[in-house]
Amino acid sequence: MAPQTSIGPGEGQLNLVLWDGYADKSWVDPFTATTGCKVNQKPAGSSDEMVSLMKDGGAGQWDMVSASGDADLRLIYGGDVKPMNTSLIPDFANFQTYFKAPGYNTINGIHYGISLQWGPNTLLYSTKKFPNAPTSWSTIYDPANKGLLTVPDNPIQIADAALYLSKTQPNLGIKDPYELTQKQFDASVALLKQQRPLIKKYWALATDEITLFQNGDVVAGAAWPFQTIQLKAAGAAVAETIPIEGATGWADTWMLATKATHPNCAYLWTKWVSTPKVQAMQALSFGETPVNTKACAEMEALSAGSCAQYHADAPGSYFNTIKFWTTPTATCDDGSNNCIPYAQWQAAWTTITA
Amino acid sequence: MAVTDAGRLRKNRGAAPLQTLLWRWPWVRPALLLTPPLAWFVLVYLTSLVLLLITAFWTIDTFTTQIVQVWNLDNFRIILTEPAYRLIIGRTVGIAALVTVTDGLLAFPFAYYMAKVASRRTQTILFAAVLLPLWASYLARVYAWILILNHSGILNWSLQSIGLPPANIGYTNTAMWLVFSYIWLPFMIIPTYAALERVPDSLLEAAADLGARRWRAVLDIVVPLAIPGVVAGSIFTFSLTLGDYITPILVGGAGSTFIGNVVYIGAFEAL
């Protein structure tokens, strides 16, 4: 099924499944004014919920989804999203090379969606408890911090444990935290089971983590830059860091539903959110990094110093230090079928957090 | 007489056939009355439950989250053999039972006072006090408890200001037990009160006349007569706790997963 080769007139409506805040009034209103596409939003609470909503190609109800890397392959192999034509998105040429065809949304050169924004999973800590910034992820596995830690309630958290083990236990031979053999997977799960008694709460929503830090229930945890920005704005004594082991990260993609009923509005929308100005606005409002390199100047104009702060000007080599979320599959990089698929990640996560 | 009646009947048949029909076949009236609710019950309520039950014998391709329609007992085997699920079931049932007992112990004296001791005016005030919180949002009441129990909350602040160490029960199973007991208390008080109010005062007077002390009268007369109310209240508090998943998310900590939470997560895979 070849993607469309031109964008026709808008259909007047656009139905989006997205992360809360991904279609803010400040860039939706000008979009509707110029294209006539009225944007209807359905915020999702988790990647699993997004996959569930997009079942049966969006069933004609949803046109696009702002899916994160851990959901992308499930949507693609489930036949819920279809290829998109990158030549209809003029700003695609200005994207960071890494995000033009990342493995989680591009298969055999076919683009199943257009990259949007990304961010690292950082170590958030209380500057009162840690006057010197912690340098290692060992902070969230340290029994000294018992009952004062929080991590996301998400099976993909197993990759964070694997990333930590790849540096601290090199004999396990973990190269990619999303491609784990049974032995590597068991070691990561065992580490998380040890961590479980140290955890105050597994956070489900970003706002939960903000509340935990604000009330002093926790002093360190895995977070997104969004929480740090919100907490700092509220006057909390916190800071974030990317520890020496590196970090996992998420990257979001606008994907087109197989049964989209408003494809022209969908393309117009993708074109609009890829422009430097809108990329910068979304980056600063949500606390994430644009994929469009031209957005750097726009970010500086909105908030001086923000381009470097968010690594929007990062060189290509920087993206080797961030291990971006992708759906774990049974097929390893070497072509063998020895890797643990996502289904088992989910099952293991239930036993870890039970 | 009989002939005249029959004649009138024949004449009426032309005028109001429906009425005649209902008179002829008395079962038509209840059938007409019951068909719509029964149809709703069978079609909407039972069918959906049966469909859900059938799905339990299928598996899901968790990668694409599509249902694979192959009959097997895998789901049941996992629930029975996986220790995590047994832990979750045990925790849910255990806390539900604890909440029921707590509410029973709190509600009985309260309901007894309301039904038998309080003046009419006090009774009205107490009734309002029990029912008024039900008008506030469930979420608002749970969030209020988070404000009380968290690290810098009112509880720890009060304890510290009188020189005691902080309790730190926020985000624990203890917090869940407290919040559940608070949230469902009215559902225990009301049926217990209704049962106690119907206990005739004359029985208590008779017991007193026969020399029974007050507590003996309560134990031998009031408690047995109040049991139906307490049982009704227990069914409410137990089943409401058993099915809840919001309170564990909000006030529970690590290791507060309920059956409802597993269902909630699983639903995204299965639906």
Side-chain angles (χ1 to χ4, degrees):
Chain A
M1 181 173 45
Q4 61 192 89
T5 50
S6 63
I7 307 177
E11 296 90 348
Q13 297 280 336
L14 181 62
N15 301 323
L16 303 173
V17 172
L18 39 53
W19 298 117
D20 217 358
Y22 269 33
D24 193 79
K25 258 182 85 65
S26 56
W27 62 88
V28 167
D29 287 353
F31 170 73
T32 307
T34 49
T35 63
C37 299
K38 194 175 165 294
V39 177
N40 306 306
Q41 308 183 30
K42 167 74 184 167
S46 68
S47 288
D48 289 346
E49 191 179 349
M50 279 190 172
V51 174
S52 175
L53 283 167
M54 294 303 290
K55 199 158 283 187
D56 190 26
Q61 196 176 1
W62 310 114
D63 297 312
M64 295 199 94
V65 58
S66 68
S68 295
D70 57 331
D72 289 357
L73 291 181
R74 280 184 276 166
L75 292 165
I76 295 170
Y77 289 125
D80 299 323
V81 294
K82 58 184 176 187
M84 287 184 78
N85 188 348
T86 56
S87 62
L88 296 180
I89 314 296
D91 273 293
F92 187 78
N94 303 325
F95 281 11
Q96 282 274 8
T97 316
Y98 179 88
F99 293 107
K100 283 186 180 173
Y104 51 79
N105 71 19
T106 304
I107 295 167
N108 297 331
I110 298 170
H111 302 271
Y112 289 87
I114 307 295
S115 292
L116 178 66
Q117 305 261 341
W118 63 274
N121 293 310
T122 59
L123 175 60
L124 176 63
Y125 60 94
S126 150
T127 49
K128 274 191 201 134
K129 172 84 180 180
F130 301 98
N132 302 316
T135 55
S136 166
W137 281 112
S138 64
T139 312
I140 61 167
Y141 302 106
D142 186 351
N145 299 321
K146 188 173 170 27
L148 298 169
L149 300 170
T150 184
V151 295
D153 191 359
N154 186 342
I156 211 77
Q157 194 63 25
I158 294 170
D160 284 65
L163 177 72
Y164 174 70
L165 289 177
S166 72
K167 299 286 155 60
T168 53
Q169 290 187 34
N171 57 329
L172 282 169
I174 298 173
K175 288 197 195 76
D176 183 331
Y178 305 98
E179 284 183 7
L180 303 174
T181 61
Q182 189 70 51
K183 189 175 154 229
Q184 296 165 344
F185 184 76
D186 290 346
S188 308
V189 170
L191 175 65
L192 291 171
K193 281 189 175 164
Q194 278 171 33
Q195 183 197 39
R196 152 80 170 73
L198 314 178
I199 300 291
K200 183 76 175 182
K201 187 173 178 64
Y202 292 97
W203 60 267
L205 300 170
T207 45
D208 291 347
E209 187 174 33
I210 292 171
T211 313
L212 287 166
F213 269 93
Q214 250 170 349
N215 293 327
D217 281 297
V218 297
V219 297
W224 307 326
F226 173 76
Q227 283 90 309
T228 316
I229 292 168
Q230 297 288 319
L231 280 163
K232 281 187 171 165
V238 296
E240 68 179 357
T241 180
I242 292 183
I244 46 167
E245 293 91 359
T248 58
W250 85 88
D252 295 341
T253 302
W254 275 117
M255 300 183 123
L256 184 60
T258 316
K259 294 188 181 170
T261 48
H262 311 102
N264 291 327
C265 274
Y267 270 100
L268 289 168
W269 171 254
T270 315
K271 209 168 122 179
W272 172 245
V273 295
S274 301
T275 57
K277 182 107 199 244
V278 180
Q279 285 255 309
M281 282 162 86
Q282 175 166 349
L284 291 176
S285 101
F286 196 84
E288 55 190 2
T289 312
V291 297
N292 189 336
T293 50
K294 292 261 163 66
C296 189
E298 296 285 350
M299 285 175 85
E300 288 298 311
L302 290 168
S303 161
S306 62
C307 175
Q309 191 190 341
Y310 285 102
H311 304 286
D313 56 353
S317 61
Y318 176 82
F319 296 96
N320 298 328
T321 65
I322 308 266
K323 300 284 183 191
F324 283 100
W325 281 359
T326 184
T327 317
T329 62
T331 315
C332 311
D333 207 28
D334 60 10
S336 70
N337 268 330
N338 299 329
C339 285
I340 306 296
Y342 187 67
Q344 274 168 271
W345 287 50
Q346 275 181 320
W349 187 249
T350 305
T351 67
I352 291 165
T353 58
Chain B
M1 264 311 258
V3 177
T4 329
D5 271 354
R8 199 176 292 150
L9 190 69
R10 215 167 290 130
K11 240 165 82 189
N12 279 355
R13 187 179 287 171
L18 184 67
Q19 234 165 7
T20 321
L21 198 79
L22 291 176
W23 183 84
R24 269 271 175 91
W25 295 298
W27 54 266
V28 170
R29 194 189 292 268
L32 281 177
L33 207 64
L34 285 178
T35 305
L38 204 68
W40 184 89
F41 183 75
V42 171
L43 285 177
V44 179
Y45 188 76
L46 285 183
T47 311
S48 59
L49 282 180
V50 169
L51 284 179
L52 204 62
L53 186 69
I54 292 171
T55 321
F57 293 94
W58 290 336
T59 38
I60 311 156
D61 183 339
T62 19
F63 184 68
T64 57
T65 74
Q66 313 283 350
I67 291 174
V68 184
Q69 299 185 353
V70 179
W71 298 97
N72 64 76
L73 291 169
D74 274 6
N75 293 329
F76 297 93
R77 187 181 49 77
I78 293 168
I79 286 178
L80 293 175
T81 54
E82 173 59 56
Y85 288 118
R86 273 181 292 172
L87 180 72
I88 290 167
I89 292 168
R91 175 189 298 134
T92 311
V93 174
I95 291 184
L98 205 62
V99 167
T100 306
V101 172
T102 310
D103 276 350
L105 292 176
L106 289 174
F108 193 86
F110 190 91
Y112 183 80
Y113 182 81
M114 255 168 86
K116 293 291 164 206
V117 184
S119 68
R120 192 110 195 109
R121 201 180 125 82
T122 323
Q123 209 176 35
T124 316
I125 294 170
L126 288 176
F127 237 120
V130 171
L131 293 178
L132 216 56
L134 292 178
W135 294 89
S137 154
Y138 173 102
L139 283 175
R141 284 181 290 151
V142 176
Y143 273 114
W145 274 97
I146 294 180
L147 293 180
I148 296 170
L149 298 176
N150 72 42
H151 185 74
S152 55
I154 300 162
L155 177 71
N156 280 352
W157 178 80
S158 312
L159 286 173
Q160 269 162 336
S161 59
I162 54 168
L164 290 170
N168 280 337
I169 52 170
Y171 308 109
T172 61
N173 289 345
T174 316
M176 280 207 294
W177 165 65
L178 273 175
V179 172
F180 275 131
S181 301
Y182 160 76
I183 297 253
W184 307 134
L185 188 59
F187 295 89
M188 185 64 106
I189 292 180
I190 301 299
T192 309
Y193 165 82
L196 284 172
E197 216 201 1
R198 271 179 300 171
V199 177
D201 287 339
S202 56
L203 287 183
L204 293 173
E205 284 161 17
D209 287 347
L210 292 168
R213 289 172 193 277
R214 184 93 181 166
W215 63 265
R216 172 142 295 283
V218 168
L219 219 60
D220 285 353
I221 298 167
V222 180
V223 170
L225 288 173
I227 286 228
V230 176
V231 168
S234 299
I235 291 169
F236 285 140
T237 52
F238 188 80
S239 61
L240 285 169
T241 312
L242 205 65
D244 198 275
Y245 70 98
I246 300 169
T247 297
I249 289 178
L250 294 176
V251 295
S256 295
T257 313
F258 260 40
I259 296 172
N261 300 98
V262 178
V263 173
Y264 179 71
I265 297 163
F268 286 131
E269 296 165 29
L271 294 181

